[in-house]
Amino acid sequence: MDDDGTRGVRGSSADRVPGPALPPPPTTPPRVPAPAAGPRPGATPVEQHTTRPGPASPAEQPVPGAPVDAWLRTPRPPQEPGVWRYGYTPPPPEEPEGVSNRSLLVGALISLLSALLLWSLWRNGYLPYRLVPLKLFTPGEWWNPGTSGGPRTIEGSDALTVYEALLFGLLAYGCGRIGNFSELFRRHVADRGQPFLALAAAAAAGLTQLLVWKEALPVVRPVLVLVASVAGGEIYQSQTVVNVIYAVIAAAVLYPFARLGCWRELIAARRGTAAPASDGTAAVPAAATSADQWPELRTAGWTDAADTLTAEVRTGRMNDVDVARLRHAWALATRRPDRLAPLAEAVLRTGGAAALHPSGHRDLPRRGARHDVLTGQVRIGRCADDPHNPYVRRGTGLALEPALLGTSLLAVGPPGAGKTARLIRPVVEALALRALAGQAAVLAVGGAGAPLGPDDAFDVVVRLGHPGSAHDIDLYGGTTDPDEAAAVLAEGLVGDVGSLDSRRAATVLAQLLGPYRAAHGHFPSVPELRELLDGTPAALAGLRASLEAAGHHAMLRELDARSRQAGGPGDPAPALADRVALLDRPAFTGFFATGPDARPFSLRALGQHPLRVRVDLPERGHAEASRLLTRLLLAQFTAITAARTDTTLFACLVLDDATHAVTAETVRGIRRLRSVNAGAVLALRTVDDVPETLHTPLLGAVGCTAAFSGITTWDGKRFAEAWGKEWVETREVAQHTVFADQPFTRALHALRKLVTGKAVTTDAVTVRQVERERWSASELAYAVPSGHAVIRLATVEGEHAPPLLVHLDG
């Protein structure tokens, strides 16, 4: 096992990037060329000391099977926080609330019956003055005297035939508009798709043809009359002309149904001339810009390098991580022009393998979620079609990215709700990909066996309490300042003890750490620190003798002060010793080593290199020690990231279980992370795993929150208060019974009550604006389905999205 050249100790220093814990052999043919075994020309000293693994595994594009050039050209329009931007297309405008199917069918039936009744009354002459409009525009000698007199001549009969056809057309058009037949057709015929649409149109066309040729519909005779009046009656002496006219009538009747049934498109699809049917995944349109042409390199004048990368992309020798890594490297090089030429030369020499990650990896061994490495997004789910969600967000993908994680994320849900599999692991996977692109560093902390990713997906794997672990953890965070080390260590040891002041505990530790480092050149190991806190005479005497021999009089005063305060009321030393004793167990023998030969892994390396680190905690046998270490890692992370000067690298800490890890000081540290390009992801089973006094500060410190299905109403109440309220429009309907005064009206009401079983009532509707919670505690506890979560997102720039109900499929 590779231990970076060290013997007898685990880990690496902050100034050295560790290699992978267990580099596996390749199991699948690589899609990208393997990196060189030795250090590449121009590599930094840090990169030359890292382990070179085997070939990278195949890359998984956001759309399986899509080539890299098409993936690169796919549009990613700017959207609201959390929207999956890869190939995003906005939804159609929201349609107003439509009429119910029952009302639509009843209205269409009533309209049809009314039209049939009106037409029957017309044909049988029961409508007075029905011929007056026609007589006003035709000669009087065509008609018999009187307003109701019929035609006297053949010309009058022909005019009446055409007149009836026009009136029938107007009646049919009015019936269709009043009965809303178009909406009825769309809902119950067109929306069912092919081939039902074509068959329904064909059946309607056949019935209409039958009625036309049976002269139940006035079509054939009016057409023959119009043709005779224009071309003369002699035209019908030719049977060929008559057949042509009949064919034109049949085609004219058939044409509207062919358009409605989309017969042409159906025939083209059956013949294979149309595009193949979609398999449920919408085709992603390509952008008009040629992103695969690397325009930023061409603009800077490096045409040869751009041509090289373009060829690499189009021949499949680059994956999405390579593209993101080289884009980021070029962006960094433009800030320092002296780096442009070496980067361009590396591209010409090695192609897509230029600016490689120090580990030599070009992709993760496998991916379990959909990623868009170009934007850093990972898709974790889809917004549900729920009234709580805005219309524009329903059905859209929900994604997380560094701009959101920079505000930190708190996920709360009971065991089995899917926090680890559907949220934590996709986030760790996305950050690991971003680390391979040189843009992030990730520290994932979980119990031994937690599914945070395989070992070969990380550069450093620390298995605390496991004798085969290749790396160790520095309890002091890699600092050489005793006061800084004491403050962080005190927060990790007794930060959860409300009766103890962590500042007093830090003072006690500083009174011991400072003299010990001055005497020995390093901080004490766990057994030595326990003896000093217990006040063992031999340990204190030996330390005093070493200080006197070296002449450290200032440190002697510190040690004397500790001796005077020992055993006094409120002395935190016994509590500190008890907590240190949790780490002074046989299972941790060889861990937390100090001294000149020890080089444990320090979290300070996260702020300097794009590392992928995983820490496995022994939760089963040492639950209290695991919580202590989690709290210590959180305190170290917030302190180290806040103190770094170079914030170009996004650093993120992911805690799979943050139970009893949050303290007042770490909450203040989490609030400062967004200003230093860092974030934390905390998972809790319940908010009660945090001290009650920190519930409100914690929910206010994080910008992103997720409430999983199965939380209690108490947790739901805290989320509902944190998410605030919104103005909504409410409708209150009051029903009042109608009392009739007239005998006929009372009879009608009695008949209606006999038929429907309900009294005749009238509705009084009141509409008003009220302020209500976005999600109530009861809805969060009982209305969130299994496999869903209500997620509220915010960016470091201050943009935010309302709480959304999301179906998690990460």
Side-chain angles (χ1 to χ4, degrees):
M1 184 172 294
D2 184 13
D3 58 1
D4 288 340
T6 60
R7 296 183 181 275
V9 294
R10 305 178 178 90
S12 80
S13 64
D15 299 330
R16 186 171 179 176
V17 180
L22 292 172
T27 57
T28 55
R31 286 183 56 186
V32 293
R40 63 181 184 274
T44 63
V46 170
E47 296 173 343
Q48 292 177 3
H49 285 80
T50 55
T51 306
R52 298 293 178 183
S57 60
E60 177 190 351
Q61 302 300 333
V63 177
V68 180
D69 54 349
W71 167 83
L72 190 58
R73 293 193 305 270
T74 302
R76 297 164 175 84
Q79 293 298 322
E80 296 180 0
V83 175
W84 175 250
R85 294 167 51 194
Y86 179 79
Y88 173 81
T89 54
E94 184 177 9
E95 297 182 359
E97 185 177 355
V99 184
S100 64
N101 289 332
R102 179 180 178 181
S103 300
L104 193 63
L105 291 172
V106 171
L109 181 60
I110 292 176
S111 176
L112 180 61
L113 293 178
S114 300
L116 291 177
L117 176 62
L118 187 61
W119 182 248
S120 177
L121 294 176
W122 167 272
R123 294 296 298 268
N124 292 284
Y126 289 107
L127 295 180
Y129 310 107
R130 63 190 185 97
L131 298 180
V132 171
L134 180 61
K135 292 181 179 181
L136 292 176
F137 295 95
T138 54
E141 59 270 14
W142 289 5
W143 308 97
N144 292 320
T147 57
S148 59
R152 176 188 299 176
T153 63
I154 296 178
E155 290 83 359
S157 298
D158 294 341
L160 180 59
T161 300
V162 176
Y163 178 60
E164 287 182 346
L166 294 176
L167 289 180
F168 179 82
L170 293 175
L171 182 63
Y173 176 78
C175 173
R177 290 297 300 270
I178 295 175
N180 206 358
F181 277 84
S182 60
E183 178 66 16
L184 186 67
F185 175 81
R186 185 187 66 81
R187 287 192 189 182
H188 299 282
V189 180
D191 287 351
R192 300 184 65 174
Q194 299 287 13
F196 181 82
L197 175 61
L199 293 177
L207 178 61
T208 305
Q209 290 280 7
L210 178 64
L211 295 177
V212 166
W213 297 111
K214 290 292 184 179
E215 296 190 0
L217 299 179
V219 176
V220 178
R221 289 181 59 85
V223 171
L224 295 178
V225 169
L226 289 175
V227 172
S229 63
V230 173
E234 296 81 3
I235 194 174
Y236 294 120
Q237 295 178 0
S238 172
Q239 186 62 36
T240 302
V241 174
V242 173
N243 293 337
V244 170
I245 294 175
Y246 285 166
V248 171
I249 294 174
V253 173
L254 194 64
Y255 178 75
F257 297 98
R259 291 290 303 273
L260 290 176
C262 301
W263 294 354
R264 181 179 179 182
E265 291 80 359
L266 180 62
I267 294 174
R270 295 298 182 184
R271 291 180 177 178
T273 59
S278 174
D279 59 353
T281 303
V284 179
T289 57
S290 299
D292 59 335
Q293 297 285 336
W294 301 86
E296 59 272 18
L297 273 71
R298 298 182 187 277
T299 303
W302 299 97
T303 308
D304 294 342
D307 293 339
T308 300
L309 293 180
T310 301
E312 293 266 313
V313 167
R314 294 185 175 179
T315 55
R317 294 196 296 269
M318 289 179 63
N319 58 16
D320 53 351
V321 179
D322 295 331
V323 174
R325 186 187 68 252
L326 290 173
R327 280 177 173 267
H328 177 68
W330 185 261
L332 293 180
T334 53
R335 302 176 187 175
R336 297 184 60 179
D338 57 311
R339 294 185 178 181
L340 289 176
L343 178 60
E345 293 175 0
V347 169
L348 293 174
R349 184 173 59 255
T350 60
L356 202 60
H357 184 264
S359 67
H361 291 170
R362 298 174 66 176
D363 198 1
L364 297 179
R366 55 183 175 273
R367 304 185 190 181
R370 289 187 62 186
H371 300 271
D372 186 15
V373 188
L374 204 60
T375 58
Q377 287 190 318
V378 53
R379 190 180 187 276
I380 63 171
R382 184 188 71 256
C383 295
D385 187 6
D386 187 86
H388 286 92
N389 293 342
Y391 171 77
V392 294
R393 298 302 298 269
R394 298 175 189 173
T396 61
L398 189 83
L400 296 176
E401 56 183 307
L404 300 172
L405 298 178
T407 64
S408 298
L409 185 148
L410 176 66
V412 178
K419 299 188 300 297
T420 301
R422 300 182 178 184
L423 179 64
I424 299 299
R425 176 160 182 173
V427 168
V428 173
E429 202 172 80
L431 292 172
L433 288 172
R434 202 161 181 83
L436 291 178
Q439 304 175 44
V442 57
L443 172 62
V445 181
L452 299 180
D455 294 350
D456 48 359
F458 296 91
D459 303 314
V460 176
V461 178
V462 182
R463 297 184 178 89
L464 294 175
H466 193 283
S469 177
H471 299 281
D472 194 4
I473 282 291
D474 187 358
L475 286 181
Y476 304 100
T479 183
T480 58
D481 184 1
D483 293 329
E484 182 181 352
V488 175
L489 185 59
E491 196 65 34
L493 292 176
V494 295
D496 61 328
V497 182
S499 58
L500 287 179
D501 186 359
S502 60
R503 290 174 296 181
R504 290 195 60 188
T507 301
V508 171
L509 287 171
Q511 290 172 343
L512 296 174
L513 296 181
Y516 190 95
R517 178 171 179 80
H520 301 282
H522 58 83
F523 290 120
S525 62
V526 170
E528 293 169 336
L529 180 60
R530 181 182 179 185
E531 291 180 355
L532 293 175
L533 290 171
D534 283 332
T536 305
L540 293 175
L543 179 57
R544 182 181 300 275
S546 299
L547 292 174
E548 291 176 350
H552 296 290
H553 301 290
M555 294 303 171
L556 281 172
R557 289 195 299 269
E558 288 285 301
L559 193 60
D560 291 339
R562 171 84 288 271
S563 300
R564 289 192 303 268
Q565 297 170 3
D571 182 19
L576 290 169
D578 292 342
R579 289 300 179 89
V580 173
L582 296 174
L583 304 180
D584 189 18
R585 305 297 300 166
F588 298 112
T589 301
F591 284 90
F592 317 119
T594 59
D597 296 332
R599 290 191 303 164
F601 174 75
S602 171
L603 264 62
R604 292 187 178 274
L606 293 174
Q608 304 172 9
H609 309 289
L611 289 176
R612 302 165 295 165
V613 184
R614 194 189 77 206
V615 178
D616 294 343
L617 302 175
E619 289 184 343
R620 293 186 178 180
H622 304 273
E624 192 63 30
S626 297
R627 294 173 181 175
L628 186 153
L629 292 170
T630 302
R631 192 164 51 249
L632 178 62
L633 291 174
L634 177 58
Q636 287 186 1
F637 181 81
T638 55
I640 291 171
T641 52
R644 62 177 180 161
T645 57
D646 185 6
T647 60
T648 57
L649 196 68
F650 178 74
C652 188
L653 169 66
V654 182
L655 297 182
D656 185 47
D657 184 5
T659 303
H660 300 294
V662 180
T663 64
E665 184 61 32
T666 53
V667 168
R668 287 189 287 268
I670 290 173
R671 190 178 291 111
R672 293 191 297 265
L673 291 178
R674 68 178 64 191
S675 63
V676 292
N677 195 22
V681 179
L682 312 177
L684 294 172
R685 295 183 177 91
T686 173
V687 182
D688 290 331
D689 289 339
V690 176
E692 186 175 359
T693 56
L694 297 179
H695 290 173
T696 301
L698 177 61
L699 289 172
V702 298
C704 303
T705 49
F708 283 71
S709 61
I711 65 172
T712 63
T713 53
W714 291 274
D715 288 343
K717 180 181 179 181
R718 298 181 181 97
F719 280 108
E721 293 175 351
W723 292 338
K725 300 179 180 180
E726 63 178 346
W727 289 98
V728 296
E729 184 181 273
T730 61
R731 296 169 58 91
E732 297 180 357
V733 181
Q735 293 184 340
H736 304 283
T737 304
V738 179
F739 297 96
D741 297 331
Q742 302 297 327
F744 181 71
T745 307
R746 285 200 298 269
L748 290 178
H749 288 184
L751 178 61
R752 179 175 175 180
K753 183 175 182 181
L754 180 64
V755 173
T756 63
K758 297 180 181 179
V760 179
T761 59
T762 181
D763 295 340
V765 181
T766 303
V767 180
R768 60 179 181 175
Q769 295 283 336
V770 297
E771 193 176 21
R772 288 184 178 177
E773 294 175 331
R774 300 178 185 271
W775 281 83
S776 67
S778 299
E779 288 175 329
L780 289 173
Y782 302 110
V784 179
S786 177
H788 291 66
V790 181
I791 302 178
R792 188 254 185 188
L793 301 175
T795 66
V796 292
E797 290 83 8
E799 299 182 48
H800 60 84
L804 302 171
L805 179 63
V806 181
H807 175 244
L808 300 170
D809 54 7

